[in-house]
Amino acid sequence: MPPAFSDSPASGRSPVTRRTVIGAAAAAAAPFLTGLATPASAAPPAVRPRALSGGGDLGPNVLVFDPSTPGIQAKLDQVFRQQESAQFGTGRYALLFKPGTYTGLNAQLGFYTSIAGLGLSPDDTTINGDVTVDAGWANGNATQNFWRSAENLALVPANGTNRWAVAQAAPFRRMHVRGGLNLAPAGYGWASGGYIADCRVDGQVGPYSQQQWYTRDSAIGGWANAVWNMVFSGVQGAPAQSFPNPPYTTLDTTPVSREKPFLYLNGNEYRVFLPEKRTNARGVTWGNGTPRGTSLSLSQFYVAKPGVTAATLNQALAQGLHLLLTPGIYHVDQPIQVNRANTVVLGLGYATIVPDNGVTALRVADVDGVRLAGFLIDAGPVNSTTLLEVGPTGASRDHSANPTTVQDVFVRIGGAGAGRATTSMVINSRNTIVDHTWIWRADHGTGVGWDTNRADYGIVVNGDDVLCTGLFVEHFNKYDVQWYGQRGRTIFFQNEKAYDAPNQAAIQNGSVKGYAAYKVGGNVTAHEAWGLGSYCNYTADPSIVQHHGFAAPNASGVKFHGLLVVSLGGQGQYEHVINDTGAPTSGTSTTPSTVLSYP
């Protein structure tokens, strides 16, 4: 096996950026009727908006190919050249391939680029070639390869192995790799990912330098190695449970899962497939032909284009339409309000919602079966109390038969400019499934600083019976995760504490040194979590001490499995792993301190 961490940091990059210092051992507003002329003495009638239509074209940044399309590779290369290093740019693209076979392609993916097949099964759309993510733009450092995705394709890699060297917010879903999958960049440089779900990899998955990874409800031919935290649930072919040596946390099944909605073609009609819920899931949903679930015609969706107002989006929802957000940036001056059960809000190409004037970007009522998927929320410069709220405060209905799902919904505060939010994501509805999120207070880019992109809390879970599968939350000024609901479960958690804390006093939490990355409320009597890691990299003051990565009440029903904390090169230290348990980190060796189970 090649060395896991052979590259050195790219020269000239800011030392504050974790991803260069650590060693890794998503239409215009609707026209309005003017009303009939009335006598001057009569009050004018209320102005009513014209009913909105569903369906329509997908806009200029959705590129649709079929096997006879000329110049596919040249178009792919053009998009890649634009997006390769545009980490905080405004370009957004979805590359969609109609069912059929494509030969000799190498689709390199840059920032805010999604590639997907338009069949019901990945095997309906085969690329004899590759879908590649590498890190040449960053001198072999893949730790900033965020915000890109691959879905619903079969790949026959040119050399037998496809390269997918990604970091956070880069899902690999419903893919069939007829060969191997290499998760490291060329040269085996640093890498910090990642997430796989509902995939089949016929050959071996080689994470090599990847520090952590979560794989869910898939089938693999093998798994090569582990660095800090590799977690599997419902994966055929996964390595056996062996945390901490090697650090594999393996669950035979995923307790509850429902795959992400996806766009597909039924003949010449676009539809959105809605996979059904599974319990105790294991393996892919599409292995025996047509997947199980229902579908909606695109005519049932308001197909939104950048520039549309929040009022129009809410009118569409009030009419009973679903939302399809085509690629681009959407400014909203009021919350997008999802009040109807079973509503779908689906983004393409990392459609991005920016709340103006401190509003909440999106709110969901306490209803069954809402599906939020595939978009980015980017905090605005005026502080938002919250950015995403699933259920109102006090939500209490039982949604176990038909939960709300939040999938590939990402949150960013700062980086693309100053952004502020007190709490990024609040989950109040019971039984919600948060399936792959990255909630990130930026540690690099523009508008970054301890108070500039102030964001105290990442995710707050108040609802009971909430499940998180693939939870990435980083750099918040106080708690990254606070969990107050009963019977919550998390499978895989990745965290870094805020790099830019200026000194010990800035993070002092009463008598406790620092805010835990993941805190379970003191009144919680039942909670369980598997495969959790927290890292500190206090570059502004390396002398900062963090008392622990995890905090929880000492109750028999509160259980943790496979915990670790890491000091990155000695930039700050942890005294314990969870509560007062676990050995301290020390020195500059970047060696995890682990706890197999707690209590």
Side-chain angles (χ1 to χ4, degrees), residues 252-312:
D252 190 57
T253 62
T254 305
V256 187
S257 61
R258 190 175 66 189
E259 298 303 329
K260 180 183 173 184
F262 62 92
L263 192 67
Y264 76 102
L265 277 172
N266 181 25
N268 293 319
E269 180 196 16
Y270 283 106
R271 299 186 69 85
V272 172
F273 192 82
L274 308 177
E276 71 173 20
K277 185 188 73 169
R278 298 200 291 172
T279 56
N280 298 319
R282 182 172 172 84
V284 300
T285 63
W286 46 270
N288 295 316
T290 304
R292 298 177 66 91
T294 59
S295 69
L296 299 168
S297 169
L298 192 63
S299 65
Q300 296 173 264
F301 284 77
Y302 179 73
V303 179
K305 310 293 198 305
V308 69
T309 65
T312 299

Side-chain angles (χ1 to χ4, degrees), residues 30-33 46-52 315 319:
F32 288 81
L33 293 175
V47 177
R48 295 179 180 274
R50 181 178 297 161
L52 298 169
Q315 180 192 342
Q319 279 183 213

Side-chain angles (χ1 to χ4, degrees), residues 418-499:
R420 296 171 66 93
T422 304
T423 304
S424 291
M425 187 180 295
V426 179
I427 308 297
N428 292 318
S429 287
R430 292 181 59 188
N431 311 105
T432 300
I433 300 171
V434 180
D435 175 44
H436 190 225
T437 188
W438 185 37
I439 306 173
W440 185 56
R441 175 182 169 265
D443 62 284
H444 62 273
T446 60
V448 171
W450 181 249
D451 290 311
T452 305
N453 61 330
R454 182 84 193 185
D456 284 351
Y457 309 110
I459 181 171
V460 176
V461 179
N462 297 314
D464 294 342
D465 305 292
V466 171
L467 170 66
C468 291
T469 51
L471 181 60
F472 299 73
V473 190
E474 296 188 300
H475 306 150
F476 286 84
N477 296 74
K478 294 184 179 179
Y479 290 114
D480 299 276
V481 175
Q482 295 179 93
W483 206 300
Y484 300 109
Q486 297 287 356
R487 298 174 300 280
R489 291 175 291 186
T490 294
I491 305 173
F492 181 89
F493 171 68
Q494 186 262 328
N495 165 263
E496 292 172 354
K497 295 304 299 175
Y499 295 174

Side-chain angles (χ1 to χ4, degrees), residues 55-64 94 96 118 263 270 298 303-306 324-327 330 348:
D57 72 89
L58 299 177
N61 286 4
V62 176
L63 309 181
V64 181
L96 305 183
L118 288 170
L263 192 67
Y270 283 106
L298 192 63
V303 179
K305 310 293 198 305
L324 185 75
L325 304 176
T326 65
Y330 297 76
L348 300 180

Side-chain angles (χ1 to χ4, degrees), residues 69-324:
T69 302
I72 297 176
Q73 186 65 57
K75 192 62 181 179
L76 296 175
D77 291 345
Q78 177 186 346
V79 172
F80 178 65
R81 284 192 298 270
Q82 177 179 319
Q83 299 301 116
E84 179 183 12
S85 59
Q87 181 172 178
F88 298 110
T90 59
R92 303 286 188 274
Y93 290 91
L95 312 173
L96 305 183
F97 286 75
K98 294 182 180 181
T101 301
Y102 302 77
T103 299
L105 297 182
N106 180 17
Q108 300 181 82
L109 299 188
F111 287 97
Y112 314 109
T113 305
S114 297
I115 189 170
L118 288 170
L120 263 181
S121 164
D123 290 326
D124 293 339
T125 311
T126 298
I127 293 178
N128 289 305
D130 297 83
V131 171
T132 300
V133 177
D134 207 343
W137 75 279
N139 298 319
N141 177 355
T143 60
Q144 294 182 41
N145 281 348
F146 315 135
W147 304 308
R148 62 200 76 195
S149 66
E151 301 182 48
N152 204 29
L153 292 164
L155 304 178
V156 184
N159 70 351
T161 299
N162 189 79
R163 187 183 301 279
W164 185 255
V166 299
Q168 287 81 0
F172 200 76
R173 288 183 180 267
R174 291 179 59 78
M175 297 288 287
H176 184 186
V177 181
R178 299 176 190 165
L181 186 63
N182 183 345
L183 303 179
Y188 301 94
W190 301 340
S192 177
Y195 174 91
I196 290 171
D198 202 22
C199 290
R200 181 179 297 277
V201 180
D202 293 348
Q204 185 181 69
V205 180
Y208 304 116
S209 54
Q210 286 286 355
Q211 299 154 338
Q212 67 277 316
W213 201 276
Y214 175 50
T215 306
R216 178 181 63 71
D217 300 351
S218 294
I220 60 176
W223 192 272
N225 69 290
V227 176
W228 291 340
N229 189 30
M230 301 294 175
V231 180
F232 308 83
S233 68
V235 179
Q236 298 167 345
Q241 168 72 33
S242 58
F243 188 92
N245 186 28
Y248 295 136
T249 298
T250 302
L251 289 75
D252 190 57
T253 62
T254 305
V256 187
S257 61
R258 190 175 66 189
E259 298 303 329
K260 180 183 173 184
F262 62 92
L263 192 67
Y264 76 102
L265 277 172
N266 181 25
N268 293 319
E269 180 196 16
Y270 283 106
R271 299 186 69 85
V272 172
F273 192 82
L274 308 177
E276 71 173 20
K277 185 188 73 169
R278 298 200 291 172
T279 56
N280 298 319
R282 182 172 172 84
V284 300
T285 63
W286 46 270
N288 295 316
T290 304
R292 298 177 66 91
T294 59
S295 69
L296 299 168
S297 169
L298 192 63
S299 65
Q300 296 173 264
F301 284 77
Y302 179 73
V303 179
K305 310 293 198 305
V308 69
T309 65
T312 299
L313 295 174
N314 282 328
Q315 180 192 342
L317 290 166
Q319 279 183 213
L321 293 170
H322 307 273
L323 295 183
L324 185 75

